[in-house]
Amino acid sequence: MKKLEINQKDLKENLEKIKNKIDISKTEIIAIVKANGMGLDLIKYSKFLIENDIKTLAVANTFEAIELRKAQITANIIMLSEIYSEKELEELIENDIILTIGNLEEKNKIEEIAKKKEKVIQAHVKIDTGFGRYRIYI
């Protein structure tokens, strides 16, 4: 059986190296924590990142986003995938998750729910630049 071990000291040093190469006052580091923290434990890994000045976490699905909120993680959380279910959208909007919008129909649905809940949302808009992946065409 193979075992993955992450040395927190090394990970912290790597984060510091990244922060030293950018202007942290103008640039935000978004840590991808999807897939159970890439196998490192979603909650533990997320808390470690936040303790090391990461302000935004990215997840792949509603379950991960809500698990972080249930763990009292108040950092920004961005949803990387589109949401089809109105129930999921309502839950994400209630929990102040940054949504990714890939088409106008989805945008309209999100606006409608946010207005009904009297919530202001943050959104990440994906635009197709030619690769034909999940996005809004321009």
Side-chain angles (χ1 to χ4, degrees):
M1 179 166 82
K2 295 184 180 192
K3 184 177 177 180
L4 173 65
E5 287 187 32
I6 302 298
N7 182 313
Q8 287 187 354
K9 181 179 170 266
D10 290 346
L11 184 54
K12 186 174 184 162
E13 285 178 15
N14 287 343
L15 286 170
E16 290 303 317
K17 286 177 185 176
I18 293 167
K19 288 189 271 186
N20 288 333
K21 291 195 178 282
I22 61 175
D23 182 348
I24 201 71
S25 69
K26 295 179 182 176
T27 308
E28 182 175 359
I29 299 170
I30 299 174
I32 308 298
V33 297
K34 67 181 188 148
N36 195 30
M38 304 298 215
L40 301 175
D41 187 291
L42 176 67
I43 305 303
K44 287 181 186 176
Y45 184 48
S46 296
K47 287 181 178 180
F48 173 84
L49 292 165
I50 292 164
E51 288 167 6
N52 287 280
D53 302 319
I54 300 300
K55 310 262 185 278
T56 302
L57 306 170
V59 298
N61 58 53
T62 302
F63 174 79
E64 293 168 338
I66 301 307
E67 283 297 301
L68 290 173
R69 289 294 188 238
K70 284 180 183 175
Q72 272 72 53
I73 290 177
T74 59
N76 293 326
I77 300 171
I78 185 169
M79 173 69 74
L80 295 175
S81 58
E82 64 184 306
I83 309 302
Y84 296 104
S85 157
E86 190 168 323
K87 182 178 181 249
E88 280 184 90
L89 278 173
E90 288 177 0
E91 190 172 20
L92 293 165
I93 289 168
E94 277 294 320
N95 283 280
D96 298 315
I97 306 302
I98 301 167
L99 302 173
T100 296
I101 298 173
N103 62 61
L104 294 178
E105 180 182 317
E106 193 172 70
K107 177 204 97 51
N108 293 337
K109 188 188 306 183
I110 290 167
E111 280 184 336
E112 179 183 312
I113 294 168
K115 187 175 181 180
K116 182 172 66 176
K117 295 195 169 290
E118 298 180 355
K119 296 281 271 183
V120 174
I121 64 149
Q122 291 185 61
H124 170 77
V125 178
K126 283 194 170 183
I127 298 173
D128 184 0
T129 58
F131 288 105
R133 299 194 56 181
Y134 168 69
R135 70 302 172 205
I136 292 175
Y137 294 103
I138 55 172

